[in-house]
Amino acid sequence: MVGGVSVFSMPVVPRYAEVHQQGVVFNGHYLTWFDEACTGLLDELGVAYPDLMSDGYDFMVVHSEIDFAGPVRWRDTVCVTAQCTGVGSSSFTIGFGVLAGTPGGEQRLAVRGHNVYVVVSTDDWAKRPIPDGLRSALTHSAGG
């Protein structure tokens, strides 16, 4: 918890295959890392993705933003953070940070971003209100 907000942190080891010819992690991989961190955050909040699915709910990314602040290179020490920054009637927003540095060195913010997710029904993929358990966990984690 930071200031009443739950912040999930996930270590990542950039793989050689994630680095392109400019010597830095290819931007598309940040979305994969964000997705993994979102799932980790939900697990930490006690909301298991398979349970949502079995209850007939899923969620989809409807908007993403990635802001580059500095490079992430192969073999950097990386940490991806995730925290809920907003909860609506059928959507929620998770903010992400990618901290990077050399092994044993100081970490710096390399990338920040966020995803907006909309809850849908697994039956017809139509938008649905956020189920109570998920809403409670997200609202509590966002400090609200």
Side-chain angles (χ1 to χ4, degrees):
M1 289 278 219
V2 175
V5 177
S6 294
V7 178
F8 173 77
S9 181
M10 176 185 82
V12 172
V13 178
R15 297 173 302 167
Y16 182 79
E18 293 173 318
V19 176
H20 58 50
Q21 290 180 339
Q22 293 171 328
V24 298
V25 170
F26 175 69
N27 61 66
H29 294 294
Y30 297 123
L31 292 174
T32 299
W33 296 354
F34 290 179
D35 200 51
E36 292 171 353
C38 176
T39 301
L41 173 64
L42 293 178
D43 285 345
E44 189 170 274
L45 296 175
V47 179
Y49 184 74
D51 292 342
L52 282 173
M53 294 285 292
S54 68
D55 289 340
Y57 296 99
D58 201 347
F59 53 90
M60 299 178 161
V61 175
V62 295
H63 180 80
S64 290
E65 286 188 25
I66 302 171
D67 295 314
F68 180 85
V72 176
R73 301 181 190 286
W74 180 55
R75 302 198 57 139
D76 275 354
T77 301
V78 177
C79 176
V80 178
T81 62
Q83 65 187 65
C84 181
T85 59
V87 181
S89 59
S90 61
S91 67
F92 58 95
T93 303
I94 305 293
F96 303 98
V98 177
L99 306 170
T102 57
E106 187 175 318
Q107 287 196 318
R108 61 183 160 57
L109 180 66
V111 174
R112 70 180 148 267
H114 69 264
N115 284 346
V116 178
Y117 300 89
V118 168
V119 174
V120 297
S121 165
T122 57
D123 291 331
D124 58 7
W125 303 105
K127 183 168 64 170
R128 296 286 186 253
I130 298 173
D132 291 340
L134 177 58
R135 173 177 298 286
S136 177
L138 290 170
T139 301
H140 176 73
S141 76

